Amino acid sequence: MSESAIITTNNLNLWYNGKHALESVSMKMPKNRVTALIGPSGCGKSTLLRCFNRLNDLIDHVKITGEITLDDENIHAPSTDVVTLRKKVGMVFQKPNPFPKTIYDNIAYGPRVHGIRDKCELDRIVEQSLRHAALWDEVKDRLNDSALGLSGGQQQRLCIARTLAVEPEVILMDEPCSALDPIATAKIENLIEMLKADYTVIIVTHNMQQAARVSDYTGFMYLGKLIECGKTKQIFEHPAEELTENYITGRFG
Ligand SMILES: Nc1ncnc2c1ncn2[C@@H]1O[C@H](COP(=O)(O)OP(=O)(O)OP(=O)(O)O)[C@@H](O)[C@H]1O
């Protein structure tokens, strides 16, 4: 991979209570590209994704060895501020999880936590984030309504807008379309394509067609190991490993 990497893992291992869930994962996530993580259930995709913003720190009895760098800095270094890391590396989950607040307050929440109080500045951030998430036109006249009144697809785009509001560098998406219908899914996929102009996206998906449609690079995982990683076209058309070929042709999974 010749493109410059924003996140790199080097010999990354993770154990849950002694159970080896990630084994010697070494991988590079190129900047301003979409990288998909695919593989059968339980292979470690979500675990790997959660390593990138240290969400696994919140789980008891997790041991991690090896290195993860963001912009060439070790994210486990004592000097790393986890709040700043999670601002730089935002996350969107499987089920849309808006706060039970207004649409406006959902987006303004993060900037307020980071100390922005000026109303004009917050208005600007709310509009810009909703525009970037392709939701502004649908909600601009109801910013003070509850976010819980939005459709599932709109709620997921709101969650993406909420992530964008704190100006991340990387957006992690853990099966962001699995709770959505095909039309809402298509909107999120189009949005992912637009987002990579400004952000790096790493997406976990069970849906191989989705990985092929939205990603530039794909990593195939199996039983906690990264079996192979490369350009999506190459992984899907000419995988180097038989295991990858068996998975993408539906022989197991
Ligand atoms: N909090 C946890 N505590 C203990 N074990 C866990 C925890 N989270 C995940 N695991 C285990 O780690 C392994 C990898 O799980 P992970 O959720 O990362 O896989 P996945 O590939 O994302 O699966 P899926 O596609 O089903 O979501 C599995 O064996 C899982 O049971």
Side-chain angles (χ1 to χ4, degrees), residues 87-140:
K87 179 173 180 292
K88 287 186 190 169
V89 184
M91 184 139 185
V92 176
F93 296 87
Q94 194 167 352
K95 274 176 71 181
N97 58 351
F99 303 133
K101 293 172 179 283
T102 65
I103 293 168
Y104 185 100
D105 285 342
N106 263 272
I107 311 297
Y109 182 87
R112 283 183 178 131
V113 166
H114 290 285
I116 299 177
R117 290 278 175 271
D118 180 65
K119 173 83 172 72
C120 291
E121 178 62 1
L122 287 171
D123 288 353
R124 186 193 66 74
I125 292 170
V126 168
E127 177 170 344
Q128 180 179 294
S129 306
L130 288 167
R131 280 189 188 282
H132 274 170
L135 188 59
W136 175 250
D137 289 339
E138 290 163 61
V139 302
K140 62 178 189 283

Side-chain angles (χ1 to χ4, degrees), residues 16 19 21 39-48 50 59 175 206:
Y16 289 113
K19 181 188 176 311
S41 190
C43 69
K45 306 178 295 292
S46 299
T47 299
L48 179 60
R50 288 196 302 262
I59 301 171
E175 296 191 48
H206 268 123

